[in-house]
Amino acid sequence: MSWADDDTPPPADLHPEIPHPARMYDYYLGGKDNFPADRAAAEKVLSFGPLVRISALANRAFLQRAVGHLAELGIDQFLDIGTGIPTAGNTHEVAQRVNPSARVAYLDNDPIVLVHSRALLAAASQGTATVLQADLRDPAAILADPQVRQLLDLGKPVALLLFAVLHFIDEADDPHTIVRTLVDALPSGSYLALSHATGDFATEADAAKGPSVYRSASAQLTMRTKAEVARFFDGLELLEPGLVTAPQWRPDQPAEDTDAQVAIWAAVGRKP
């Protein structure tokens, strides 16, 4: 059930009157866990760039391929930050198809994400997945969280997942240092998988339209160039095919969407 299907007013702490990127993303994916303000903002973004929905679907498909590949490489611990609203093919579902004992810690700063994630995880294997409220802008708190440390052994390889979340971190919050702090805390053999929106394939005027809508949302959108995204992988060994747009990363079949249609950089890197 979604809030949209219920006549009961949503809890005030969900701030339904303020568009939230996680709920807007849910709307792009065809979900129902969003409010009128989220739908209005998302439709405005789509009016500027109808390919946003294609990008969202391509990003989700990249998540599933990356998680599946990491599980096949033997990774059985996943730290998934900025998870968004649960939908089909979540990290624990993909990883546990390969390894039923794989463990996933989901972290997000949105109360509605926690509500729906916890309902979803009620059906998950006991003790293999948990969802916590945390803010990516405070990586030290994430690393010190006792529930994270109870589920994950940070002394063994971990896959750090940052799918479509870093573009909601302003330059003032120094996203590259945030990622470096998290990666530095993980042992050799760990992986970083991330995706990030870019304006590299748009005109300057068009690239500014999406971020302008998010100015009224709870998080701002900062698109970054390929070079800026590549910096997140400094010191890591990129898996083939390197830093590419989401549909080009190990596609199950020849990618139909072009770089310009998707405009999301994606990669997976290993910590040596």
Side-chain angles (χ1 to χ4, degrees):
M1 184 185 71
S2 70
W3 291 112
D5 297 327
D6 190 353
D7 292 333
T8 303
D13 62 356
L14 297 182
H15 299 294
E17 76 285 359
I18 301 174
H20 191 286
R23 298 191 294 256
M24 292 169 66
Y25 184 64
D26 174 70
Y27 180 75
Y28 298 144
L29 292 173
K32 297 181 179 180
D33 295 308
N34 46 72
F35 300 123
D38 304 309
R39 295 191 285 275
E43 282 294 342
K44 191 170 183 180
V45 173
L46 289 170
S47 73
F48 291 146
L51 298 176
V52 168
R53 181 165 278 133
I54 293 175
S55 298
L57 293 168
N59 179 71
R60 192 70 186 180
F62 164 64
L63 177 155
Q64 293 163 354
R65 295 196 305 276
V67 170
H69 183 67
L70 290 169
E72 290 170 356
L73 290 176
I75 296 296
D76 60 1
Q77 301 190 110
F78 297 83
L79 182 59
D80 190 344
I81 305 176
T83 60
I85 304 292
T87 188
N90 292 286
T91 298
H92 75 279
E93 295 169 327
V94 175
Q96 290 175 2
R97 281 200 292 268
V98 178
N99 181 354
S101 64
R103 300 183 303 283
V104 180
Y106 292 104
L107 287 78
D108 204 286
N109 67 348
D110 185 5
I112 196 172
V113 170
L114 272 66
V115 169
H116 289 281
S117 295
R118 285 168 177 160
L120 174 73
L121 292 178
S125 301
Q126 183 67 29
T128 61
T130 190
V131 57
L132 308 169
Q133 187 162 11
D135 195 322
L136 178 56
R137 290 167 294 190
D138 191 354
I142 291 173
L143 294 167
D145 189 296
Q147 290 177 278
V148 170
R149 289 186 166 272
Q150 181 179 0
L151 183 67
L152 305 181
D153 182 351
L154 300 186
K156 296 181 179 179
V158 174
L160 170 62
L161 311 180
L162 298 171
F163 295 111
V165 63
L166 287 167
H167 45 238
F168 295 116
I169 302 295
D170 296 338
E171 283 301 306
D173 291 315
D174 197 354
H176 290 94
T177 295
I178 289 172
V179 173
R180 179 53 48 200
T181 299
L182 292 167
V183 171
D184 283 351
L186 302 179
S188 173
S190 293
Y191 289 83
L192 168 65
L194 69 78
S195 57
H196 197 298
T198 184
D200 285 355
F201 306 103
T203 64
E204 185 175 348
D206 286 342
K209 290 178 179 178
S212 71
V213 177
Y214 280 88
R215 291 191 189 110
S216 64
S218 60
Q220 309 306 301
L221 179 65
T222 302
M223 295 192 288
R224 295 185 171 91
T225 66
K226 185 176 184 179
E228 290 170 327
V229 176
R231 283 183 54 207
F232 290 116
F233 292 95
D234 284 352
L236 304 182
E237 301 167 346
L238 286 181
L239 302 189
E240 291 293 337
L243 181 60
V244 294
T245 54
Q248 307 299 332
W249 198 89
R250 298 176 181 256
D252 299 324
Q253 54 190 10
E256 297 181 359
D257 301 321
T258 67
D259 292 348
Q261 285 178 311
V262 176
I264 293 178
W265 292 119
V268 178
R270 182 183 182 275
K271 184 175 180 179

